Amino acid sequence: MSVLDEIDRQLIAALQLNARESVAMLARQLGIARTTVTSRLARLEKTQVIAGYGVRLGQRVADGGLQAYVGITVQPRSGKEVLRRLSTMAQVQQLCAVSGEFDYVAWLRTDSPEQLDQLLDQIGSVDGVEKTTTSIILSNKLDRGQPI
C-alpha cells in the first residue's frame, strides 16, 4: 500500500461520508484544486487504496432480515477447507480470520430465524468446524464505515 498523507486521509474520510460528493465540493472542503483531487483519486484507485464505491443501506432496509456474528473454532489444518465451504454460502456476508477465542468470525444475514437456524446447522456440519458461538444483532448503534 502506498503511503497516505494527510490530504489523502481527509479525501478518503470525505468520500466515506458521501462517496457521491462532487470533485468541486471535495476540493472546496479540502482547500485544494479540483485537478489535485482528480489526480489523487486516480492514484488512490490505481493503487487499490480505494478499491471501489458502494452503497450503505439505511437502518430500516438493513433491518429487513436477521443479522448475526458467529465465532467459529476450527480443527488444526482445516482452515482452508472451512474457508472454501463458507465462501459458497451466500448468507455469509463477511468472514474474518481473528486472534483470540475463535479462528474466524463470520457476519451472517438471513431473512428469518428459521433460515439462520438452518445456516448455523450447515456451518456446524462443515468438516473441520469444531464449535460455533452465535450473537444475533439486535440493533446497530454506530456505523462509521471502514476506517482509513
Side-chain angles (χ1 to χ4, degrees):
M1 183 168 109
S2 63
V3 176
L4 300 178
D5 65 13
E6 186 57 28
I7 292 174
D8 289 336
R9 290 181 188 284
Q10 290 175 7
L11 179 57
I12 291 167
L15 288 170
Q16 286 179 310
L17 292 174
N18 182 5
R20 296 184 63 188
E21 192 68 80
S22 72
V23 169
M25 182 57 77
L26 290 168
R28 267 192 295 266
Q29 288 174 0
L30 300 176
I32 58 178
R34 285 183 299 189
T35 55
T36 303
V37 170
T38 302
S39 65
R40 283 178 179 262
L41 284 174
R43 178 180 48 81
L44 292 169
E45 291 167 359
K46 183 179 179 184
T47 59
Q48 290 290 299
V49 171
I50 296 176
Y53 300 87
V55 174
R56 271 196 341 222
L57 298 176
Q59 188 72 32
R60 287 178 46 190
V61 174
D63 285 345
L66 191 62
Q67 299 176 65
Y69 286 104
V70 179
I72 303 168
T73 304
V74 300
Q75 296 169 347
R77 294 183 292 283
S78 298
K80 284 185 182 180
E81 179 60 19
V82 170
L83 173 61
R84 187 187 70 74
R85 291 281 309 280
L86 293 180
S87 68
T88 66
M89 300 176 189
Q91 299 94 336
V92 177
Q93 299 293 299
Q94 187 176 42
L95 182 67
C96 301
V98 296
S99 63
E101 182 180 351
F102 307 111
D103 298 303
Y104 295 115
V105 173
W107 172 41
L108 312 178
R109 181 187 296 268
T110 64
D111 292 329
S112 67
E114 295 80 16
Q115 277 189 350
L116 178 60
D117 186 42
Q118 291 171 357
L119 181 59
L120 291 171
D121 286 345
Q122 201 177 356
I123 291 170
S125 69
V126 169
D127 284 338
V129 171
E130 203 168 85
K131 175 181 126 179
T132 63
T133 303
T134 305
S135 295
I136 294 174
I137 298 172
L138 301 176
S139 67
N140 189 346
K141 301 295 186 187
L142 180 66
D143 183 358
R144 291 193 174 117
Q146 291 184 320
I148 56 171

